[in-house]
Amino acid sequence: MNGSDSRTAAYGLVPADTTEDVRSRGAEVSTQVAVLPVGSFEQHGPYLPLATDTLVACAVAREIAAAYPVHLLPPVTIACSHEHAAWPGTVSISSVTLHAVVRDIADSLRRSGVETLVVVNGHGGNYVLGNVVQESSARGERMALFPAAEDWETALERAGVVTSLLTDMHAGEIETSILLHAHPELIRPGYETSDFVADDRRHLLTLGMSGYTESGVIGRPSLGSAEKGKALLASLADSFGAYFSMLTAEAAES
């Protein structure tokens, strides 16, 4: 079953569902799956907005909601961006807080009859989300983290992205492409001339991003395009199918 195009077209960062929309969608499926975008509020160089990771996570989540009968949640917009603290505008919460927020959301969903939660992560520094999913799964709760590195690798190949995940670390070809497709009005001039590569980042956790880049950019944004962004999102939506099948099959068996 596919989601309604009109339903997803109306979405900005906050879903426009009414409680009756959620009730109707839940009545049509045997297992209700909620999708939670988690982003960040951190520097992305001089040309991408502080909300880039949230915008990316929401773009991925909207693609999922257009293709699968899921309950799309509003995003978590501030997360763990401590490595970007040297740049103005960056705001973080602790990993303990983010862990608790996601746990609380999952608990609330279960009380309302939604047993399965997929966290769509838009920021690589949200390491704790992996722990949340592992711990929840160990307790017998249904939760998943999306996309995995393998999903991104498939998307890069399908979209013709030439920069590797290692090199395209921050505000590079991938993020610039997705925003050129999903939110071109938010991109400032400068991405065409801001390429910077720093593949050896072994001390990132100690030094932060400022130990490796003055501009805040690590990647090749000049290679970004709206066409690549569209293809990236389409590939990720396709990859989500395996997650949806696994999570709903597990629910049917339990």
Side-chain angles (χ1 to χ4, degrees), residues 5 21 50 65 87 89 111 119 122 185 188 244:
D5 290 339
D21 293 329
L50 294 162
W87 282 270
R111 288 193 293 271
V119 179
E185 73 282 1
R188 309 284 181 90
F244 187 80

Side-chain angles (χ1 to χ4, degrees), residues 38-42 53-54 76-85 90-102 121-129 131-132 170 205 209:
V38 179
S40 72
F41 200 73
E42 64 187 38
D53 290 340
T54 298
V76 176
T77 60
I78 297 176
C80 302
S81 301
H82 310 283
E83 69 273 29
H84 298 276
T90 297
V91 182
S92 291
I93 58 177
S94 72
S95 60
V96 173
T97 299
L98 182 57
H99 190 296
V101 167
V102 176
N121 182 30
H123 171 49
N126 291 336
Y127 310 115
V128 72
L129 294 177
N131 298 112
V132 178
H170 192 70
L205 296 179
M209 285 285 288

Side-chain angles (χ1 to χ4, degrees), residues 7 29 36 63 88 136 170 190 227 238:
R7 172 190 160 212
V29 296
L36 174 68
E63 289 287 319
S136 297
H170 192 70
E227 293 75 18
D238 288 345

Side-chain angles (χ1 to χ4, degrees), residues 44-245:
H44 275 78
Y47 50 86
L48 294 184
L50 294 162
T52 290
D53 290 340
T54 298
L55 295 168
V56 168
C58 287
V60 174
R62 285 196 303 269
E63 289 287 319
I64 291 170
Y68 306 92
V70 299
H71 177 29
L72 183 56
L73 301 173
V76 176
T77 60
I78 297 176
C80 302
S81 301
H82 310 283
E83 69 273 29
H84 298 276
W87 282 270
T90 297
V91 182
S92 291
I93 58 177
S94 72
S95 60
V96 173
T97 299
L98 182 57
H99 190 296
V101 167
V102 176
R103 279 289 313 280
D104 283 355
I105 291 170
D107 290 346
S108 179
L109 286 165
R110 282 192 297 275
R111 288 193 293 271
S112 66
V114 182
E115 293 290 334
T116 304
L117 176 63
V118 178
V119 179
V120 174
N121 182 30
H123 171 49
N126 291 336
Y127 310 115
V128 72
L129 294 177
N131 298 112
V132 178
V133 172
Q134 284 182 323
E135 293 166 15
S136 297
S137 298
R139 288 191 298 270
E141 300 162 4
R142 287 187 294 277
M143 193 182 292
L145 183 61
F146 182 81
E150 292 84 355
D151 302 314
W152 278 115
E153 292 287 2
T154 299
L156 264 60
E157 182 176 352
R158 282 183 50 179
V161 171
V162 298
T163 315
S164 69
L165 285 176
L166 172 65
T167 298
D168 200 66
M169 187 249 189
H170 192 70
E173 184 177 4
I174 296 170
E175 291 181 320
T176 301
S177 292
I178 291 176
L179 262 66
L180 281 169
H181 167 64
H183 296 283
E185 73 282 1
L186 298 181
I187 298 182
R188 309 284 181 90
Y191 72 90
E192 305 90 342
T193 57
S194 293
D195 291 5
F196 181 78
V197 174
D199 283 352
D200 186 346
R201 303 185 296 271
R202 70 187 71 190
H203 303 302
L204 178 65
L205 296 179
T206 302
L207 299 178
M209 285 285 288
S210 61
Y212 295 94
T213 171
E214 292 184 5
S215 67
V217 178
I218 297 180
R220 296 191 176 99
S222 69
L223 300 177
S225 72
E227 293 75 18
K228 290 177 182 177
K230 182 177 180 180
L232 285 166
L233 293 174
S235 178
L236 290 174
D238 288 345
S239 293
F240 184 79
Y243 291 75
F244 187 80
S245 297

